[in-house]
Amino acid sequence: MSRGSKPSRRRRSVIVVAGEGDYDRKVLQHLVPALHPGECPEVRMLRKPIRLARAHATLHPRLQEIKRHAAGIADTAELAGIVIHADLDGVADDSYITLRRRLREEMNGVFKGTPTALALAAYEIEAWLMLFPGAFTALHPGWKLKEADCRRDLARLAKAKEHLMKHLGKPDYRESHAPQIMEKAVKGGHVSHEPTGNNRSYADFAKDIAAWRKAA
């Protein structure tokens, strides 16, 4: 750099989160920076709900729609990554593997050149939250996950949301609690690529994020 010249300003970059529900996207807005391999860009949400898990003939057009919206959200910033959420509404079995492979292949084709991550949550994103039991108690002292739940394969827990509503205690669990729980998990230092608990769908998502290049 010549004498008297000003240092160049790095272009602002953003990561866009798309998917089904507002609360799920907010969970990922907290989670992504905790898993990002470098200095994480700003994480912004695509407000329009877009469902992928049941899409077949409409999958490609829906991904193209996400691409257009993401470019609009990024505007003049660099689009540093796209995260897409979908509840599997099923446990992680062979059908999960098949569906995830199909979605990833389509995403790789549509978003070529842009890092992507697929949050295909089995059964629902509540099963991801259960990987961080301390976050529940941090939000509400009366909440405590059962030891059996902490030891189980959470990717095979059917209807995780209903399970929490039934067993967590008072106050009753609501979907609106999900982003607050993830925020507590991140701030409490509980989040990692390999948490103590077990959920294959979370592990697959963490691997997607880990593969992103570190911010320059």
Side-chain angles (χ1 to χ4, degrees):
M1 183 172 65
S2 62
R3 181 178 296 179
S5 64
K6 295 181 179 180
S8 59
R9 297 177 64 184
R10 188 171 65 182
R11 186 184 179 193
R12 186 173 64 91
S13 59
V14 299
I15 294 170
V16 174
V17 175
E20 300 179 356
D22 191 46
Y23 296 130
D24 298 313
R25 293 191 296 271
K26 287 180 180 177
V27 167
L28 291 170
Q29 197 172 28
H30 292 298
L31 178 60
V32 169
L35 296 178
H36 194 276
E39 181 182 348
C40 188
E42 177 187 1
V43 181
R44 301 187 62 185
M45 295 192 301
L46 194 164
R47 297 287 180 179
K48 180 179 179 180
I50 298 179
R51 292 172 172 79
L52 296 182
R54 298 291 180 266
H56 294 284
T58 58
L59 177 58
H60 189 80
R62 291 184 189 186
L63 291 175
Q64 290 285 0
E65 184 179 3
I66 290 174
K67 185 177 181 179
R68 288 193 300 272
H69 283 295
I73 291 172
D75 193 16
T76 59
E78 175 191 3
L79 183 58
I82 295 177
V83 175
I84 299 179
H85 164 265
D87 278 333
L88 181 65
D89 292 332
V91 299
D93 53 15
D94 290 345
S95 62
Y96 161 81
I97 297 171
T98 301
L99 177 58
R100 194 175 204 282
R101 183 184 300 118
R102 180 172 69 89
L103 292 176
R104 286 298 304 162
E105 287 174 352
E106 286 284 348
M107 287 169 63
N108 290 341
V110 171
F111 303 113
K112 189 175 297 184
T114 301
T116 60
L118 175 60
L120 182 60
Y123 186 94
E124 297 155 326
I125 210 162
E126 276 76 8
W128 288 18
L129 300 177
M130 292 172 69
L131 291 168
F132 316 109
F136 288 84
T137 306
L139 182 60
H140 289 295
W143 282 358
K144 186 175 181 180
L145 296 185
K146 295 180 179 180
E147 287 296 326
D149 285 336
C150 297
R151 294 192 302 268
R152 72 191 304 168
D153 181 353
L154 291 165
R156 292 185 174 274
L157 173 61
K159 300 183 179 180
K161 189 181 305 176
E162 293 181 15
H163 182 86
L164 289 178
M165 291 175 177
K166 182 177 181 180
H167 297 290
L168 192 56
K170 298 297 182 181
D172 292 338
Y173 174 80
R174 301 188 304 273
E175 290 182 56
S176 59
H177 287 122
Q180 301 172 61
I181 294 168
M182 184 55 73
E183 184 178 19
K184 291 290 187 182
V186 171
K187 289 184 176 179
H190 304 299
V191 175
S192 71
H193 288 79
E194 297 181 354
T196 303
N198 180 23
N199 186 315
R200 174 171 181 170
S201 64
Y202 173 89
D204 286 340
F205 174 73
K207 287 177 184 176
D208 282 355
I209 296 289
W212 291 13
R213 64 174 176 83
K214 293 187 178 181

